[in-house]
Each structure stands twice: as structure tokens, then as C-alpha cells.
Amino acid sequence: MENITEQIKKRRTFAIISHPDAGKTTLTEKFLLYGGAINLAGTVKGRKAAKHAVSDWMEIEKERGISVTSSVLQFNYDGYCINILDTPGHQDFSEDTYRTLMAADSAVMVIDASKGVEAQTIKLFKVCLLRNIPIFTFINKMDREARDPFELMDEIESVLGIKTCPVNWPIGCGKNFKGVYDRNAKNITTFTAAMGGQKEVAAREFGIESEDVDSIIGPDYHQQLLEDIELLDGASDEFDMELVSQGKLSPAFFGSALTNFGVETFLTHFLQMTTSPLPRKTTTGIVDPFDNNFSAFVFKIQANMNKAHRDRIAFMRICSGKFQAGMEVNHVQGGRKIRLSQPQQMMAQDRKIVEEAYAGDIIGVFDPGIFSIGDTLCTGADKVEFEGIPTFAPEHFARVRQMDTMKRKQFIKGISQIAQEGAIQIFQEFNTGMEEIIVGVVGVLQFEVLTYRLENEYNVEVRLDKLPYEYIRWIENKDELDVAKIQGTSDMKRIKDLRDNPLLLFINSWSVGMVLDRNPGLKLSEFGRNN
Ligand code: G4P
């Protein structure tokens, strides 16, 4: 029986961030292959298609065959216990995608080598920056025509503002992809595609000094590689583990998830460089993961898993100690003790009951409607409170109109509960009360979810009138100024949230800068603080 410390030490909890189609699903499925969690790569993909059949919640999800919420994959590899947090991507991109990053200890950034840094990667990256977590870069699809690797490194640096340190370096790309050069071991691994569920890559490795280099990769690529190495050694940032762990330097790897080239090398290096669960900040200090007392915070609430009961599952990240099924804990924000019953762990779409879990793990517990995003649960005499999860900027806004004004009460109840789960954010006109409700969402699918749920769960019909705003900013120094007197632009609108915090909406991004120019001292933020 391993003790708690050993269990926690072997945990690695991370999220994969990328723009849709960069290869996140493919890479995940190759990781699972190495972990033995699946026998044939392709299962995760299959899961996507099979969702019609297995998903038991929310018609909307069935109709569209997409997942509205994210899940966690846990598997063991090489003595590590790995938790991959799935960040919803395509149409189901939502605030949950951002919040999931709050539960991760590090992130893997997958970049399509032909495209470089794309919009969704930028958004997710900004959230990682908030917490300074280590970020590892996997430049994918080298088996296809790719952009110049130096150019890609420059782009990551200039667009994302993080320095990179290539661990390996590609030799050619596409039809002429010869393999990668390991800068540390100073050897070349030649490219061989391992398709399907093949684990072993029949690659050859040999030193850069070997006489065979010319004949295997060709004299031109050999020459190019020597020049690249010289340039890299002279110009790129040196590997510095301290900077990596602060999220200031990203180790970069090149490979091809589809053909399973460079995936295991990446996984091995990544697991060594990333950390076991990190200490977490509370309002009163730091909680160490190895602390004997259990503590966790809620980062996601998923509604209506079972249509027969209007239940919710609260997903929490364990920050310290050990969890045992049925244990009694303090629900700090609720101010009372509760028993954590029906704990679940998500393995892809399958739910299984967990008996025990450790710091670093994610569990889902039955929520009778008492939890809010960011709530803390803990045991022990000292009641800690983890720092709140920020509110992320919605990008789509609509005015909500109720069709039957007699159902005002249900409407307010429904929309408030859905907002409490964190699926939407609700705002009001700056100068009036609840009569006019403006709803903001990160992904447009949430509008459909809102309409559907209000109708099906609360029996309230609504109409959404889309508003043209795309940018929202919280006013950080709201107490130091008179919000009504802010010199705005013609496309600016003042609103407030339910806690009466003032916010500004804009149609154009450049208006944000203009308003800052016109109002010296005004401080705006893309993130809202919850405590
Ligand atoms: P995502 O989760 O980030 O959205 O990406 P996903 O893994 O679904 O990959 C998107 C597409 O890119 C898929 O093709 C996938 O096969 C392909 N792909 C992923 N990694 C590589 C790679 O290393 N090399 C090449 N050449 N392609 C890669 P698709 O045609 O959209 O889907 P499918 O028909 O293969 O299922």
C-alpha cells in the first residue's frame, strides 16, 4: 500500500490547449495508447462519433453529437498517474474551457506546424499566464508541409510573449520530413510513420557525427541541419528549468501525432519536466498538497446529467490530502458540514464511482444545488478558502426577453441558477434593475443551451436579441472614479453585473484603447475577480 505522499508525488495533472483541428484529440489518444488505457488509437475519435449513443444528457448534445462539457482522462504511464483535463474546443468552447485551466498544474500547447499560433490558442494561453503554469509546446503535423521552424518559434515569442527552447529540431517536413534532431543527446531519429494503434515506431537513431548522416537524410538536409544547429545554439534561449516552472520559457518539441512520431519522446520529457501537484493559494496563505487535511475547490458544475432527477455534478480539483468516499467535509462558502456522496471520476464518457482520490485528481460529486464555481471544501480545524476563479470575458451578448411576463419568477430563478452553474453571465442595464437582462457567453452554443434549458427545465419561453458587442472590460479601480463620467466612444455601453460591479461593452477592440486614452487613470481588465 503506497502512502499518501507517494500517491501525490506521481500525479501529473495537465490540460491541452490548442486551436480546433491542431491535433489535440489525436495527441490525447496517442498518450492513452502509451498508458495502455486504450488498445487501439482511434478510440477517442470513436468516442466523438459514438456520443449519440452513449450520452444520456441534454438533447442538444445528442442532436449535435458534441460534448457540451468537458471531462477528465486518468491513466498510468511509467510510474506516473496522469490526469488530462479535456478542454472543450469547437462549437462547445465555453467558459468551462477556461475554468478547466484553473484545475491544471501545467499545459501542453499543440500548434499546427502549417498554421502557427491561432486565435483560440491565444485566448487559452492568456488564462495560463494568469497562473504562471509551465507550458510545453508540441508543434504538430510535421508530416505535412510546415512553416519554417524558426519562424514558428519567433511567432510564439512575439504573439504569445513566451520564450521557447526547442528540445528537438525538425529535419525537413511533409514528404521530405526526415526526422528530428535531439539537441541534448545530439542524435537524429529518422521519421517513420506508425499509423493506427501501433505503439512502436521503427525509427533509427544515430549520432550527428555519424558517417551515415549524409546517406540517410541527404547532403542538403545535413548541411541545413548543421546550419540550424549553429543558429539555435547561438540564438535560442538556453534551457532553464526554473524559468520553465514559472511559465516563462516553453520547451518545444516537433512531431506528428497522427503518425505517432515524437509523441513518446515528448511524453517522457514532459513528465520529467512538469510538476506533481503544486501548492495552491488561499485567502489566508498557501495549502501544501502533501498536507494531511483534504481540500478541494469546485471548478465546474455540470447540470442535468440524469434527466429524471434534476441533479448536478460539481467537479472539484483536489488540492491536498486524500479523498475517501462518504467523507465529511466543510463546505466553506455554505458554512456547514456535508458528506461527499456518490463521488465519480470521468473516464471519457463513462462514469465510475471512486473510493479514494488524491491531491491532483479531479472528482465529480453529486450537487443538490448548493455549490458555486470556486467554492472550497476541506477537512481540519482551519477552514481555508481558495482564491476565487476569475470570471472570463464573454464575447457574445444578447438581450433576453421573456415571452410570457406572468412567469417572471420562474424566469429569474432559471436564469440565476444557470448563471450560478457558470454556463452564462448575466448583466443589467447600468441605470435600471432586473427588468432588462443582458446575457453574455464565451461560446455561442451557450445561447442555445440557455434557451433550451429555460424552456425544458423551467417552462419559460424566451427570445434572445443578439447585441453587437464583442469586448467586455471590468473596471478594476471602480471605487476611485465615477463610472457615469467615463468619457466613452460611440460604440461603448455601460452595464453592471448582479453584484453591481460596473462593466464596459464595446463593439470594436480599438475603442478599448481609445477609452483608456481618454480617461487617464482608468484601469480595465479582461478578467473579473470573484473575491
Ligand atoms: P483537435 O482535437 O485539435 O480538433 O484535432 P484532431 O486531433 O481531431 O485532428 C484534426 C485533424 O488533423 C484530423 O483529421 C487529424 O487526423 C489530423 N491530424 C492530427 N494530427 C496530425 C498529424 O500529425 N499529421 C497529419 N497529417 N494530420 C494530423 P480529419 O481529417 O479532420 O479527421 P479524421 O478524418 O482523421 O478523423
Side-chain angles (χ1 to χ4, degrees):
M1 191 39 203
E2 282 172 297
N3 65 27
I4 299 184
T5 309
E6 281 165 25
Q7 283 287 351
I8 298 173
K9 266 192 188 152
K10 68 179 195 180
R11 268 148 170 92
R12 297 289 182 275
T13 304
F14 65 94
I16 305 185
I17 61 170
S18 65
H19 192 80
D21 282 338
K24 186 183 70 170
T25 314
T26 313
L27 187 68
T28 308
E29 110 201 344
K30 295 290 149 65
F31 285 166
L32 293 180
L33 181 72
Y34 286 111
I38 52 169
N39 296 322
L40 280 179
T43 308
V44 179
K45 265 270 164 233
R47 175 170 68 90
K48 255 190 196 168
K51 267 194 192 126
H52 270 45
V54 293
S55 167
D56 64 347
W57 80 286
M58 285 196 71
E59 292 300 317
I60 201 167
E61 188 176 331
K62 279 193 218 151
E63 278 162 21
R64 297 180 151 228
I66 52 165
S67 159
V68 179
T69 47
S70 53
S71 53
V72 183
L73 297 159
Q74 188 180 63
F75 65 97
N76 292 297
Y77 172 78
D78 201 18
Y80 295 98
C81 176
I82 298 165
N83 292 307
I84 304 185
L85 296 156
D86 184 17
T87 46
H90 295 71
Q91 303 95 313
D92 46 352
F93 188 68
S94 70
E95 215 175 327
D96 266 350
T97 315
Y98 292 140
R99 283 191 204 109
T100 299
L101 293 174
M102 296 290 130
D105 292 315
S106 64
V108 169
M109 175 164 77
V110 181
I111 286 179
D112 182 330
S114 69
K115 304 220 172 105
V117 179
E118 296 175 86
Q120 203 152 299
T121 313
I122 302 175
K123 290 181 198 168
L124 292 163
F125 183 86
K126 278 190 192 166
V127 177
C128 293
L129 270 194
L130 269 185
R131 294 188 41 235
N132 305 315
I133 56 174
I135 296 166
F136 298 82
T137 306
F138 186 79
I139 311 268
N140 192 29
K141 304 198 186 181
M142 288 308 297
D143 59 305
R144 284 207 189 146
E145 283 311 308
R147 284 170 53 188
D148 177 66
F150 283 108
E151 201 184 293
L152 286 168
M153 296 295 108
D154 279 350
E155 186 170 285
I156 293 172
E157 231 180 285
S158 62
V159 177
L160 301 177
I162 188 170
K163 292 187 182 308
T164 56
C165 171
V167 176
N168 62 21
W169 193 250
I171 307 164
C173 67
K175 285 196 190 75
N176 292 316
F177 184 39
K178 305 291 178 191
V180 290
Y181 169 70
D182 183 322
R183 294 181 63 209
N184 199 24
K186 298 200 185 334
N187 65 20
I188 294 168
T189 309
T190 51
F191 172 63
T192 323
M195 298 302 284
Q198 235 176 298
K199 225 190 224 183
E200 303 303 324
V201 182
R204 282 186 59 187
E205 275 184 23
F206 51 92
I208 183 79
E209 308 293 347
S210 158
E211 288 170 2
D212 298 335
V213 177
D214 255 7
S215 63
I216 293 170
I217 66 171
D220 290 350
Y221 284 103
H222 187 188
Q223 187 52 37
Q224 175 77 49
L225 177 63
L226 292 176
E227 283 169 21
D228 284 1
I229 294 172
E230 205 183 315
L231 202 58
L232 276 174
D233 290 349
S236 79
D237 285 85
E238 264 179 59
F239 184 79
D240 179 336
M241 200 54 223
E242 187 57 31
L243 292 177
V244 172
S245 53
Q246 294 166 5
K248 291 185 178 142
L249 179 71
S250 178
F253 299 76
F254 292 81
S256 157
L258 185 69
T259 59
N260 204 358
F261 184 77
V263 175
E264 195 169 23
T265 320
F266 173 71
L267 187 60
T268 326
H269 279 88
F270 164 68
L271 289 171
Q272 280 164 9
M273 290 178 192
T274 187
T275 67
S276 54
L278 296 167
R280 292 263 172 173
K281 276 191 208 155
T282 69
T283 48
T284 44
I286 301 271
V287 165
D288 186 81
F290 300 102
D291 193 312
N292 271 338
N293 288 318
F294 162 88
S295 67
F297 69 90
V298 176
F299 67 93
K300 183 174 103 173
I301 295 174
Q302 182 164 305
N304 262 20
M305 296 281 279
N306 182 341
K307 240 186 142 186
H309 315 105
R310 190 183 285 179
D311 63 358
R312 318 200 295 194
I313 300 284
F315 287 90
M316 48 192 81
R317 146 88 198 216
I318 305 178
C319 299
S320 67
K322 177 181 178 180
F323 165 86
Q324 265 171 317
M327 78 194 294
E328 200 179 57
V329 300
N330 295 308
H331 174 214
V332 179
Q333 281 78 0
R336 59 182 173 144
K337 279 192 185 304
I338 53 163
R339 201 169 285 284
L340 293 181
S341 55
Q342 292 187 25
Q344 324 205 347
Q345 216 165 26
M346 308 290 283
M347 174 61 198
Q349 279 296 300
D350 305 327
R351 284 195 265 165
K352 67 170 195 225
I353 302 293
V354 283
E355 289 302 323
E356 50 186 47
Y358 299 86
D361 289 342
I362 310 298
I363 50 166
V365 301
F366 172 72
D367 171 20
I370 57 171
F371 296 127
S372 292
I373 301 280
D375 281 4
T376 301
L377 295 113
C378 63
T379 60
D382 294 335
K383 291 196 189 101
V384 295
E385 211 174 303
F386 288 106
E387 282 196 330
I389 294 183
T391 310
F392 302 99
E395 289 175 28
H396 309 275
F397 298 86
R399 207 180 286 282
V400 194
R401 286 188 210 283
Q402 209 185 325
M403 303 311 277
D404 180 354
T405 45
M406 297 299 284
K407 291 183 179 163
R408 188 73 191 160
K409 238 171 120 182
Q410 285 109 297
F411 169 64
I412 297 294
K413 184 176 167 207
I415 203 158
S416 310
Q417 276 187 357
I418 296 169
Q420 187 198 4
E421 288 162 15
I424 54 160
Q425 288 179 43
I426 43 182
F427 307 101
Q428 301 162 42
E429 292 287 339
F430 186 63
N431 289 320
T432 55
M434 267 309 245
E435 304 87 55
E436 286 276 5
I437 288 188
I438 294 171
V439 48
V441 296
V442 166
V444 278
L445 181 68
Q446 298 304 322
F447 280 145
E448 281 179 55
V449 172
L450 173 68
T451 318
Y452 179 88
R453 290 190 55 193
L454 282 174
E455 237 177 275
N456 283 271
E457 293 171 34
Y458 300 92
N459 200 18
V460 177
E461 214 182 315
V462 292
R463 204 181 84 198
L464 297 185
D465 297 317
K466 300 245 169 82
L467 295 169
Y469 305 100
E470 286 182 32
Y471 304 90
I472 189 167
R473 292 293 181 269
W474 279 263
I475 302 171
E476 281 196 345
N477 52 344
K478 61 182 160 82
D479 301 328
E480 295 165 17
L481 45 89
D482 183 351
V483 177
K485 291 205 178 124
I486 290 176
Q487 296 287 319
T489 46
S490 57
D491 68 335
M492 188 189 92
K493 181 178 177 63
R494 293 174 183 81
I495 54 168
K496 61 182 181 191
D497 65 14
L498 297 186
R499 293 196 186 109
D500 273 344
N501 290 315
L503 300 108
L504 303 178
L505 291 180
F506 302 90
I507 297 176
N508 304 304
S509 64
W510 45 261
S511 298
V512 181
M514 206 179 281
V515 166
L516 283 172
D517 284 348
R518 286 184 187 167
N519 300 273
L522 175 67
K523 287 191 191 128
L524 299 178
S525 164
E526 283 181 58
F527 305 101
R529 291 275 157 211
N530 271 334
N531 60 5

